[in-house]
Amino acid sequence: MSLPILYSFRRCPYAMRARLALLAGGRAVELREVMLRAKPQAMLAASPKGTVPVLVLPDGRVIDESLEIMRWALAPNDFGGWPAGHAADLIAANDGAFKHHLDRYKYPDRHGGDPVAHRDAGVAMLGELERRLMSGAFLEGASMGFTDMAIFPFVRQFAAVDPGWFAALPLPHIRRWLAEQAGSAMFARAMLRVPPWREGEPGVPFAP
């Protein structure tokens, strides 16, 4: 039986959270790493919007939104004990305002504006995560959840822009949370480095 095909880009936070959920859900896929400056025609045929991740199921259905891929991956068995619910408000804020500020802080030449102002706005939004993590090891309480893996790749990217500056911020619970996720075996597996996929060639098996 053929595997679902996942078009992904290793460093993209949207694709990262999809890969994490696939691993947590015990879902095996054929991984096709793409170069964003040279997107393969097979991916564009499946999803003309041209963004990753894109999951093509064996029956031809296409899921090209990262949160929907996460839900599909975790639906069968909640592998790993991820809580069934998730904090939709936190995820919406992450994918909306926080991502807006992250992009303008990390890539000021692309977007214009004042990167420091966007950096500070991002830090202000991290205050809510810090408050949540003061009362629990994870954003949904005592165990890893959907919300953690939906948000973690974006906060990790924000922290990596200027690690020294970020390390001095009064956000000890976020730093602990980031270190635990980044140091996990699942994250190491999710960040598997593979060569870019070429049309006509098989992808790389990607499984827990």
Side-chain angles (χ1 to χ4, degrees):
M1 185 173 115
S2 61
L3 292 174
I5 295 168
L6 179 72
Y7 294 97
S8 182
F9 176 62
R10 184 174 177 272
R11 297 198 306 273
C12 170
Y14 295 102
M16 200 179 295
R17 68 186 181 185
R19 294 194 304 271
L20 286 166
L22 288 164
L23 293 174
R27 299 279 206 172
V29 299
E30 176 189 325
L31 176 64
R32 295 182 177 181
E33 179 75 4
V34 305
M35 298 176 64
L36 297 182
R37 65 178 181 273
K39 298 166 186 173
Q41 287 303 309
M43 186 189 93
L44 294 173
S47 177
K49 70 178 186 172
T51 60
V52 291
V54 175
L55 184 68
V56 182
L57 302 179
D59 64 6
R61 287 182 295 148
V62 175
I63 309 175
D64 59 4
E65 295 290 345
S66 60
L67 293 177
E68 291 305 314
I69 293 174
M70 291 181 73
R71 294 185 185 103
W72 177 87
L74 294 166
N77 53 20
D78 193 26
F79 182 85
W82 284 21
H86 58 274
D89 56 337
L90 288 185
I91 296 172
N94 175 82
D95 289 13
F98 186 76
K99 182 63 163 62
H100 173 88
H101 294 306
L102 168 60
D103 288 345
R104 284 151 184 80
Y105 167 41
K106 185 174 182 180
Y107 305 111
D109 294 342
R110 295 184 192 176
H111 299 282
D114 180 358
V116 173
H118 288 291
R119 180 196 70 182
D120 293 346
V123 171
M125 294 191 69
L126 291 177
E128 175 60 23
L129 303 188
E130 180 72 10
R131 285 188 288 274
R132 287 201 176 224
L133 292 168
M134 288 175 66
S135 58
F138 300 96
L139 294 173
E140 295 185 67
S143 60
M144 173 72 70
F146 186 104
T147 304
D148 297 282
M149 287 299 101
I151 292 177
F152 157 71
F154 299 85
V155 181
R156 174 180 175 271
Q157 192 175 78
F158 186 90
V161 177
D162 187 340
W165 170 83
F166 190 84
L169 293 174
L171 299 172
H173 297 89
I174 286 181
R175 284 195 295 276
R176 183 265 309 159
W177 175 77
L178 283 173
E180 288 180 4
Q181 307 332 303
S184 70
M186 186 169 68
F187 184 68
R189 177 62 182 158
M191 295 300 285
L192 175 71
R193 192 183 296 273
V194 300
W197 177 74
R198 294 184 179 182
E199 301 270 3
E201 296 183 354
V204 175
F206 181 81

